[in-house]
RNA sequence: GGCGCGGUACCCAAGUGGUAAGGGAGAGGUCUGCAAAACCUUUAUGCGUCGGUUCGAUUCCGACCCGCGCCUCCA
């Protein structure tokens, strides 16, 4: 079964085959760097990351490009207000975006920046003008004449035929031939940042950036273009119009859009007070792995209701997977192998693959791994697991984590980084007790833990439970979780 | 108004024309000195409402109710 993906262009789930045999070329619209990214932004970026990981797991080489929009109206305005250059203003947020992406285990795509492709953008406009598809307005701005692109509206399923015929409202105000024509290039207003180019001075329009950079990196036709659902119109519609009217070729073959999330049942907005950045959540003490798990647990085309309760549930689910892996790794199993478990591992792999092949049904992939976890835990309790079984079972777990990326525990190190950032950024008041508690587990060394446990075990052997309980309480207080099993003590950091 | 998505147990959520995955939470139990972890049992005669098609619908069709998204700020 090949991968099947929903394509916004056809409004259908289609078989996905890349243009080039084993290579997928994909592009995602990245952040506009004027602020810290919020969890809604990251739902989209995590969804695309998951797609990219699954494509690679399926054997494709992936060329994944993401733009960083480091010039736009808001950036220019904010930079001017702050009295710094556009570059100075955006540097902080570019860095924050890279850190946040790493925080939530997004594998870095190849990043391209708008401000590093200005000459190519000007050239793109010049070629559109040559073809009479774009025109220069009196103020030096350039617009795209949508009446020149018959397919306009094909992605967003909008019909512009009525509007194109003589609807000239607002034309004077915008200096455009038609109200629907969109800006390719904006002439500078006094005091605004601008670039000198052969088509005049000014700055690129947002839509232009993505067309130019994606085609430069991936070719005139490439496999997949991704973004949040809000970008369907006008952003992606305009990209298609510009690109296809210039090249005469299909721009992107698949259009992948992630649905918006809700926060506590409502649209996230600053005015509702339910607007959260990744850093806000970590400061409250939530683990990055919990956030990633929650974001991936609902398939990308469904509305996801992001709640604190859900975040807590996600943390428990991740913990269960981590405990399971530790249990399998702890060894001490009898030789040989159990055919049922061998079959279970194989079945789990194929169930996960089938689920993700089906338009990235992450919920079903998770169900498959949890079925395996429960059955194997049962077998472990019954001493029915043999040495030869652990490798295939652990391989299935690894396969899951190649895509979901939540089992490997680097939470406390990441949380420590956020806590240090808060200190250096004057936000130490926002560091919650929960966060302090979480990062405390990193304070004590492995050797110290092992020695305490040895003491504890000696006391337990002597049936001196008062002493052993006190030692355990001490370790728990230091953020170390202790489990006494028949086969000895297992421990891990909180 | 135009276009589109969704309403499944206490919470999150998958799914199918033939009788409801998975996770969390709750209850009971097993194991254990205790705790933790793990396992077992249990929690929707019912999948927004009302009709229709069908031997049979949560799944198809229609109407209605509710929630949400886009319609040039927005992931």
């Amino acid at each position: 079964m090949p991968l099947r993906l929903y394509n916004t262009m056809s409004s259908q789930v289609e078989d996905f085959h890349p243009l080039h045999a084993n290579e997928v070329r994909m592009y995602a619209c990245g952040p506009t760097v004027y602020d810290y990214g919020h969890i809604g932004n990251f739902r989209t970026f995590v969804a695309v990351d998951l797609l990219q990981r699954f494509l690679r797991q399926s054997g494709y080489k992936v060329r994944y490009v993401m733009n960083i929009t480091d010039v736009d109206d808001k950036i220019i305005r904010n930079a001017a207000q702050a009295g710094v250059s556009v570059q100075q203003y955006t540097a902080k947020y570019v860095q924050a975006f890279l850190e946040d992406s790493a925080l939530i285990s997004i594998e870095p795509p190849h990043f391209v920046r708008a401000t590093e492709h200005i000459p190519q953008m000007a050239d793109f406009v010049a070629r559109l003008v040559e073809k009479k598809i774009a025109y220069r307005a009196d103020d030096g701005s350039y617009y795209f004449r949508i009446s020149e692109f018959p397919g306009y509206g094909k992605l967003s399923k909008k019909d512009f035929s009525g509007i194109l015929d003589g609807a000239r409202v607002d034309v004077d105000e915008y200096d455009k031939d038609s109200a629907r024509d969109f800006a390719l290039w904006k002439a500078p207003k006094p005091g605004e940042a601008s670039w000198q180019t052969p088509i005049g001075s000014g700055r690129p329009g947002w839509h232009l950036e993505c067309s130019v950079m994606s085609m430069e990196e991936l070719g005139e036709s490439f496999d997949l273009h991704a973004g949040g659902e809000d970008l369907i119109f006008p952003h992606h519609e305009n990209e298609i119009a510009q690109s296809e009217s210039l090249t005469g070729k299909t721009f992107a073959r698949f259009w992948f859009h992630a649905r918006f999330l809700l926060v506590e049942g409502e649209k996230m907005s600053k005015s509702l007070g339910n607007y959260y950045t990744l850093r806000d959540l970590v400061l409250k003490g939530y683990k990055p792995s919990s956030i990633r798990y929650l974001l991936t647990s609902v398939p990308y085309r469904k509305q996801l209701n992001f709640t604190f309760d859900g975040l807590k549930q996600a943390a428990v689910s991740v913990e269960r997977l981590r405990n399971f892996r530790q249990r399998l790794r702890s060894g001490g199993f009898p030789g040989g192998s159990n055919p049922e478990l061998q079959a279970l591992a194989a079945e789990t792999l194929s169930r996960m693959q089938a689920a993700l092949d089906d338009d990235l049904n992450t919920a079903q992939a998770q169900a498959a791994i949890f079925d395996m976890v429960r059955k194997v835990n049962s077998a472990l309790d019954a001493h029915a697991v043999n040495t030869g079984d652990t490798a295939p079972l652990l391989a299935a777990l690894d396969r899951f984590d190649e895509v979901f990326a939540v089992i490997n525990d680097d939470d406390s190190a990441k949380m420590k980084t956020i806590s240090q950032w808060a200190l250096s950024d004057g936000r130490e008041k926002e560091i919650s007790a929960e966060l302090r508690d979480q990062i405390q587990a990193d304070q004590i060394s492995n050797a110290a833990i092992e020695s305490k446990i040895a003491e504890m075990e000696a006391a337990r052997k002597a049936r001196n439970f008062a002493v052993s309980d006190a030692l355990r309480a001490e370790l728990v207080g230091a953020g170390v979780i202790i489990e006494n099993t028949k086969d000895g003590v297992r421990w891990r950091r909180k």
Side-chain angles (χ1 to χ4, degrees), chain A residues 17 162 241 274 346 354 438 462 468:
Chain A
H17 297 292
N274 63 356
Q438 289 288 346
S468 71

Side-chain angles (χ1 to χ4, degrees), chain A residues 341-358:
Chain A
L341 295 181
Q342 301 282 330
L344 176 62
E347 182 201 326
T348 304
L349 284 178
S350 68
R351 276 181 71 191
M352 288 194 296
Q353 167 112 26
L356 295 174
D357 272 342
D358 181 16

Side-chain angles (χ1 to χ4, degrees), chain A residues 269-289:
Chain A
S269 74
K270 286 182 176 170
S271 59
L272 282 173
N274 63 356
Y275 178 99
Y276 299 106
T277 66
L278 250 32
R279 291 166 195 240
D280 291 336
L281 296 176
V282 172
L283 286 173
K284 286 176 183 293
Y286 295 100
K287 296 178 179 183
S289 61

